Amino acid sequence: QILAKGYLKYTMEELGFQQISYIDKADEALRLIKEETFELVVCAYDLREEKEGYFLYEQLKSQKILPLTTAFVFISSDTTAEIVHSIVELQPDEFLAKPFSVKELDKRLSRVLVRKQALKDVYALMDKGDFEGALDELERFLTEPKNAEFFPLALRTKGELLLLCEHFEEAADFYQAIINVQDFTWAKLGLVRCYLQLDKDDEAEKLILRLAFQPDAMLSAYDLLAALQIKQQEFDDALESVTLASSISPRNVHRHKQAVDLSKITHDFPAQFDAARRVVKYAKHSIHDKPENYLNVARAGIDFAMTADAAETGKLVRQTQDFIRQMKEAFPKAEVDSELKVIDARLYYLEDETDKARMLLSQLQNADMSHENTEALMDRAKAFHEVGLQEHALAILDEVERRCVTDENQ
């Protein structure tokens, strides 16, 4: 690590970079990026202290901490398909595989920085959320012959801005015009997104199925296919599409959570348990790591066990108990006593100890529900229903329904 740090810093200095900050902890990098302005961030994929580089960049993007005017470059010695798909999905400005020469580093970094400088006015407006203004600035940029070498990037950015501005008809015409000139994958993906917004589902599906056979578009195609299938309420098919996408890029925690939700809708308990386990696995060392993940996989394990045979039930109970143990170790101060009582009660019920289950639940009969999320309330309703306390189960479901109605009206 020390040698790597020294070599990288020496190389950057040799290339003429100044005011270089070297950070080996993701949390510290996050703090520094929030406080200072950088032209370039070079991130090692395998940041093993605290959060790894993948989740650092994901957080920077999802929370809009890193401005578009700052270039972000990934470097990694791991070039397995899983890692590459995961990184490319986040769309960094550049990705370099180790080992690389100083000449190659210079070439790639220079190219990225020149692109950022060329479109800095557009990116600055996008950072402010002024997408219409950014679109106007980009149109001006595209009228200047001197910018010709940046037109491919500018055209792609124009398509993204048309979508952000919700100019879907214009965006569809734009993407089709691009495809008529050259068959760019990004243009075809953009056209699919337009079709989905314009309710041209048949056209969207035909194009998605063609894209699914292209290695550089397969992941996005499965995501778009899932979106179309959800729109059409084909939830079993959507679950299959999301599962396939997850197998290609398993570090995407949001996709695993989507698989959990779809499994609930389709009552596919094995799939729900598997997806919930993947959430726990890939959320570790990231902003997604939280007690709720462990509680959800325990709940999914119990739901699965309710429909399994005796031998499988015993195995699922042990796995559920192990996830609860992991949660207690990872989050010893988590305030989840009532959630754990419900889970313990359901485990007692699975082991035919209904009296013990009722005793635990009796402590929650008059408990305040306002601070608990919908997942916890649904689990509590199941527990009361299983031991025959129907009145309490129905009262909880009434609260869940009230919340859903409130959310719809907001």
Side-chain angles (χ1 to χ4, degrees):
Q1 183 72 18
I2 294 174
L3 289 174
K5 170 184 175 180
Y7 177 74
L8 184 59
K9 188 173 182 180
Y10 168 78
T11 302
M12 299 295 282
E13 289 173 347
E14 283 290 297
L15 294 176
F17 288 94
Q18 300 175 353
Q19 295 179 307
I20 300 169
S21 300
Y22 184 92
I23 306 295
D24 62 359
K25 292 186 177 181
D27 283 347
E28 181 63 17
L30 188 65
R31 181 193 64 77
L32 203 60
I33 291 169
K34 285 180 178 178
E35 294 176 355
E36 299 184 24
T37 301
F38 293 90
E39 288 185 51
L40 170 69
V41 176
V42 180
C43 179
Y45 172 80
D46 44 36
L47 267 173
R48 292 303 178 189
E49 295 292 329
E50 301 171 12
K51 305 175 183 69
E52 61 183 23
Y54 172 89
F55 289 116
L56 169 63
Y57 187 43
E58 183 191 36
Q59 184 173 2
L60 289 171
K61 287 196 71 173
S62 65
Q63 297 182 1
K64 302 187 186 304
I65 296 169
L66 186 75
L68 291 170
T69 49
T70 298
F72 193 97
V73 176
F74 259 118
I75 58 173
S76 175
S77 56
D78 190 339
T79 55
T80 59
E82 175 187 313
I83 299 301
V84 172
H85 278 303
S86 297
I87 292 175
V88 171
E89 184 177 8
L90 290 179
Q91 297 184 328
D93 294 293
E94 191 59 270
F95 172 54
L96 284 87
K98 296 178 184 178
F100 48 79
S101 65
V102 174
K103 183 178 179 180
E104 175 67 10
L105 182 64
D106 185 22
K107 176 183 175 183
R108 304 279 281 274
L109 294 184
S110 296
R111 185 171 61 191
V112 167
L113 291 170
V114 168
R115 288 200 308 250
K116 285 291 183 183
Q117 180 63 26
L119 288 170
K120 63 180 175 58
D121 293 337
V122 175
Y123 291 142
L125 289 166
M126 291 176 71
D127 283 330
K128 294 176 182 177
D130 183 5
F131 302 128
E132 293 285 359
L135 188 57
D136 291 340
E137 177 63 27
L138 194 58
E139 294 287 12
R140 184 202 60 74
F141 182 89
L142 287 166
T143 63
E144 297 285 345
K146 66 180 181 180
N147 298 325
E149 68 174 293
F150 305 108
F151 281 179
L153 175 61
L155 288 170
R156 184 169 183 171
T157 305
K158 177 179 176 178
E160 293 168 358
L161 282 167
L162 286 170
L163 288 172
L164 287 168
C165 294
E166 300 185 0
H167 301 329
F168 301 122
E169 289 281 5
E170 185 181 351
D173 291 341
F174 167 76
Y175 282 124
Q176 189 60 65
I178 294 291
I179 293 167
N180 291 341
V181 175
Q182 191 163 345
D183 206 26
F184 285 117
T185 296
W186 60 263
K188 289 186 285 188
L189 290 169
L191 185 57
V192 171
R193 293 186 176 96
C194 295
Y195 284 156
L196 291 175
Q197 293 293 334
L198 296 169
D199 293 327
K200 296 182 178 180
D201 293 355
D202 290 341
E203 292 94 329
E205 185 174 16
K206 289 175 186 176
L207 187 49
I208 289 169
L209 293 177
R210 292 202 297 270
L211 287 164
F213 290 98
Q214 296 181 205
D216 64 334
M218 187 181 299
L219 186 58
S220 296
Y222 281 130
D223 280 338
L224 290 168
L225 183 58
L228 174 61
Q229 290 161 338
I230 290 169
K231 180 183 178 184
Q232 298 175 336
Q233 298 189 5
E234 297 171 351
F235 299 117
D236 286 298
D237 293 336
L239 175 58
E240 183 179 354
S241 298
V242 170
T243 302
L244 284 168
S246 296
S247 68
I248 297 170
S249 180
R251 278 170 170 72
N252 187 309
V253 175
H254 294 293
R255 198 177 283 123
H256 293 308
K257 289 182 177 180
Q258 186 179 30
V260 171
D261 292 338
L262 288 167
S263 300
K264 291 176 183 175
I265 294 171
T266 59
H267 303 291
D268 190 334
F269 300 116
Q272 181 185 343
F273 186 51
D274 286 343
R277 286 193 296 181
R278 289 194 294 271
V279 171
V280 170
K281 177 181 178 180
Y282 291 108
K284 287 181 179 177
H285 312 300
S286 81
I287 56 172
H288 305 292
D289 199 9
K290 57 189 67 175
E292 192 66 23
N293 297 338
Y294 297 83
L295 295 172
N296 283 337
V297 76
R299 293 162 182 155
I302 294 170
D303 287 342
F304 185 11
M306 291 289 182
T307 63
D309 58 35
E312 186 74 7
T313 295
K315 178 182 176 182
L316 288 165
V317 166
R318 289 190 295 274
Q319 289 177 317
T320 295
Q321 291 169 334
D322 186 55
F323 278 111
I324 293 300
R325 178 190 58 76
Q326 291 179 43
M327 186 209 69
K328 290 178 178 178
E329 290 178 356
F331 302 95
K333 296 182 180 180
E335 297 180 0
V336 291
D337 289 347
S338 59
E339 290 94 327
L340 290 177
K341 284 179 181 177
V342 171
I343 288 170
D344 287 340
R346 297 193 72 197
L347 288 171
Y348 278 135
Y349 177 77
L350 272 173
E351 295 168 342
D352 294 324
E353 297 192 61
T354 305
D355 289 340
K356 289 184 178 180
R358 278 174 169 267
M359 188 176 298
L360 265 180
L361 292 173
S362 67
Q363 301 173 31
L364 301 173
Q365 288 182 1
N366 299 313
D368 179 23
M369 294 186 284
S370 61
H371 68 285
E372 295 200 15
N373 61 35
T374 302
E375 290 286 348
L377 291 181
M378 289 298 296
D379 202 44
R380 188 185 295 192
K382 290 176 188 176
F384 278 114
H385 172 74
E386 286 157 2
V387 301
L389 298 173
Q390 310 296 342
E391 184 179 339
H392 292 289
L394 290 172
I396 295 168
L397 292 176
D398 286 342
E399 169 62 16
V400 172
E401 182 180 12
R402 185 193 65 77
R403 290 187 186 185
C404 291
V405 170
T406 301
D407 290 343
E408 287 179 1
N409 293 333
Q410 286 180 347

